Amino acid sequence: MRAARLIKMVLLLQSRPSMTAAELARELEVSERTITRDALALSEAGVPVYADRGRAGGYRLIGGYRTRLTGLARSEAEALFLSGVPGALREMGLDDAASAARLKVSAALVPSLRDAPVAAAQRFHLDAPGWYQEPETPELLPAIAEAVWDDRLVSVRYRRDDTEVERELAPYGLVLKAGVWYLCARAGESFRVYRVDRFTAVALGDDRYVRDEDFDLPGFWEERAAEFARSILRAEAVVRLTEAGARGLRYVTDRAAAQEALEAAGPPDAEGRVTVTLPVESEEVAYGQLLQLGPEAEVLAPASLRALFARAADRMCRLYGSGQR
């Protein structure tokens, strides 16, 4: 642990002109007294660490010293490719590896380029979770992430409705979708998707599995996500849309379903409205979605859904039609 900290300290000093004890302590998550002891240990080991005294003082490397300890470990190299998703790294327990990797890359850069990582971080940031929700990190995510990195078989218990099932899985990959973590794993001979927050127990085995080299995680996820989106659209609604309603349909319902419905629609009627047959999850869901279009959408069928809109229109009329203020 101390050896890794000393290396990280040298890399920090190599990537910056100087750092105060407080700055080093904050970066290395130790006390300033520990920083003093570490600087002395480095000096005794032949690393030319110099301490400037006074208010503007700090630690620096002298004589143009550069360490050659900049080779990336495998875990650091893998974490580096995820460094644009800091929240995901933190949740999977990889933030230390990513930090070390970034330091090594910065130390290897020529001085004129050492501000590049900071410049990029100040200009681009990925915030994966959706709006209006507080993402929760699944407790078992780090263990699952470890199994994914090491290609290790796992024994799991998984919550399905009101029951728990046990499975032996070969965990192939993790996907973060709108703040929710999913595991893509091989169960027997087939690949399946599991929500990580539904795992109640995960035990890493000693055995490793042989990965199918043809498995493509992005392609697999895209295919399964499309299948899932289609599978939940079990009902239909016939809707008459104004031009504005047609433009807004994809923003309130499933985008692919809306696009297909609009492409299959006939020409506009005398009032410029088009009639579409829209796949929907249920009447209740369709009611909440299409209500957002207001007078730009008229539900024609099924009759029960049209009745829901008629009652909503009647209530709205009573609220706004009396002229009361």
Side-chain angles (χ1 to χ4, degrees):
M1 175 69 92
R2 191 190 184 199
R5 187 176 71 241
L6 291 175
I7 291 173
K8 191 171 182 179
M9 183 173 175
V10 173
L11 291 172
L12 282 168
L13 293 174
Q14 184 173 312
S15 63
R16 306 179 193 182
S18 68
M19 295 183 70
T20 66
E23 290 172 336
L24 285 167
R26 186 166 55 251
E27 288 280 354
L28 299 175
E29 299 180 347
V30 295
S31 67
E32 292 185 34
R33 181 173 297 181
T34 298
I35 293 298
T36 301
R37 290 197 298 265
D38 285 353
L40 180 60
L42 287 171
S43 181
E44 291 175 348
V47 178
V49 178
Y50 181 78
D52 291 315
R53 306 297 179 182
R55 291 184 58 186
Y59 292 94
R60 60 186 175 87
L61 296 174
I62 61 175
Y65 178 86
R66 294 183 64 82
T67 177
R68 295 183 181 275
L69 298 174
T70 54
L72 291 178
R74 180 177 179 83
S75 62
E76 294 167 349
E78 291 169 338
L80 187 61
F81 286 99
L82 293 171
S83 60
V85 197
L89 281 168
R90 196 164 48 248
E91 292 177 7
M92 288 191 291
L94 295 172
D95 46 342
D96 286 342
S99 175
R102 286 192 294 268
L103 277 173
K104 289 182 178 181
V105 171
S106 296
L109 294 174
V110 296
S112 62
L113 296 179
R114 283 185 191 153
D115 65 338
V118 175
Q122 290 174 340
R123 288 164 173 79
F124 300 100
H125 174 69
L126 175 62
D127 185 10
W131 291 104
Y132 314 120
Q133 57 178 302
E134 286 293 331
E136 295 184 2
T137 303
E139 181 180 352
L140 298 173
L141 177 61
I144 293 174
E146 181 181 348
V148 169
W149 285 119
D150 291 344
D151 294 342
R152 292 172 65 181
L153 296 169
V154 292
S155 299
V156 303
R157 286 207 306 272
Y158 186 76
R159 189 173 65 253
R160 177 179 292 172
D161 298 325
D162 297 328
T163 62
E164 286 189 0
V165 296
E166 295 185 357
R167 292 285 186 271
E168 297 288 330
L169 301 177
Y172 267 62
L174 285 164
V175 175
L176 178 61
K177 169 72 171 179
V180 179
W181 284 97
Y182 296 88
L183 173 67
C184 302
R186 190 180 68 213
E189 298 299 321
S190 61
F191 287 94
R192 299 180 183 178
V193 176
Y194 302 86
R195 275 186 63 139
V196 174
D197 58 7
R198 293 182 183 169
F199 286 108
T200 59
V202 174
L204 276 67
D206 295 327
D207 297 331
R208 286 179 167 82
Y209 64 89
V210 178
R211 290 184 70 91
D212 180 353
E213 296 300 328
D214 293 330
F215 178 79
D216 172 33
L217 180 60
F220 171 78
W221 174 258
E222 183 178 0
E223 180 182 333
R224 288 303 172 91
E227 288 178 1
F228 174 76
R230 288 193 298 268
S231 70
I232 63 174
L233 302 178
R234 301 186 181 96
E236 287 184 344
V238 180
V239 188
R240 188 166 171 254
L241 300 163
T242 64
E243 185 177 344
R247 288 197 304 269
L249 186 63
R250 71 193 63 191
Y251 300 109
V252 300
T253 65
D254 180 83
R255 185 178 292 266
Q259 185 64 35
E260 292 176 7
L262 288 168
E263 290 176 354
D269 60 19
E271 296 180 6
R273 295 176 177 246
V274 295
T275 299
V276 301
T277 300
L278 180 69
V280 296
E281 183 175 346
S282 67
E283 289 188 17
E284 292 76 11
V285 172
Y287 173 74
Q289 293 174 334
L290 296 173
L291 195 62
Q292 299 176 65
L293 296 177
E296 310 303 329
E298 178 190 1
V299 173
L300 304 179
S304 53
L305 180 58
R306 182 178 174 86
L308 288 176
F309 277 87
R311 287 195 291 271
D314 184 57
R315 294 199 306 272
M316 293 285 283
C317 186
R318 288 200 299 270
L319 284 172
Y320 295 102
S322 63
Q324 295 179 355
R325 294 174 181 262

